[in-house]
């Protein structure tokens, strides 16, 4: 779990089991979680530092479920091998939140490329799976 400022409550249920919390703040006890301080980039945990901390614990695969900035950070760092995407048949327009924040691309050719592996209906939604090219 990423928590830049280590605001997770000490008694949070998420910290009751085998949980890693990566932060840029001074560590303190949060439930039974292992709190790991990593270097920052723009006030947030730096992706290379996160990956190094996970690799040091022999963790080679993670699920990234966060906001658009978290997603963009991992994509921009080249750390995303697969995308599991759920799409609903609704339009939010400008009031919605982006699923991926800016990647600061200089040109279209710089965009990360993924190959669609499959699409399955899940109720009215679509579940799309992609792999990095």
């Amino acid at each position: 779990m990423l928590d830049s400022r280590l605001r997770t409550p000490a008694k949070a249920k998420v910290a009751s089991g085998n949980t890693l919390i990566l932060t840029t703040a001074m560590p303190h006890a949060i439930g039974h979680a292992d709190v790991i301080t990593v270097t920052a980039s723009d006030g947030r945990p730096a992706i290379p530092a996160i990956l190094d901390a996970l690799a040091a614990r022999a963790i080679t695969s993670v699920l990234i479920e966060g906001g658009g900035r978290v997603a963009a950070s991992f994509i921009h760092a080249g750390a995303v091998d697969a995308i599991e995407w759920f799409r609903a048949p609704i339009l939010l327009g400008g009031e919605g939140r982006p699923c991926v924040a800016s990647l600061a691309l200089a040109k279209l050719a710089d965009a990360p490329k993924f190959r669609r592996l499959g699409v399955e209906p899940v109720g009215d939604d679509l579940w799309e799976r992609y792999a990095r090219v």
Side-chain angles (χ1 to χ4, degrees):
M1 180 170 112
L2 299 180
D3 184 349
S4 298
R5 291 179 258 159
L6 203 54
R7 295 175 291 175
T8 302
K11 295 186 181 196
K13 288 183 181 181
V14 71
S16 64
N18 192 14
T19 303
L20 294 177
I21 299 175
L22 293 105
T23 184
T24 60
M26 292 295 296
H28 61 269
I30 297 180
H32 296 285
D34 289 332
V35 178
I36 303 162
T37 301
V38 296
T39 57
S41 174
D42 294 326
R44 297 178 175 274
I47 304 305
I50 291 168
L51 298 176
D52 288 346
L54 295 174
R57 287 158 181 76
I59 297 170
T60 60
S61 180
V62 295
L63 166 70
I64 301 167
E65 181 186 15
R69 288 175 67 179
V70 170
S73 295
F74 279 89
I75 291 168
H76 186 72
V80 175
D81 294 323
I83 295 173
E84 302 281 332
W85 198 283
F86 291 87
R87 225 169 4 138
I90 61 173
L91 295 175
L92 299 178
E95 292 77 25
R97 301 185 120 213
C99 59
V100 178
S102 172
L103 295 174
L105 301 173
K107 56 189 179 225
L108 188 58
D110 295 339
K113 292 165 185 61
F114 291 83
R115 176 176 42 93
R116 188 171 57 208
L117 301 176
V119 178
E120 292 181 42
V122 179
D124 289 337
D125 299 343
L126 290 178
W127 172 23
E128 299 173 290
R129 293 179 309 286
Y130 295 85
R132 185 173 54 184
V133 176

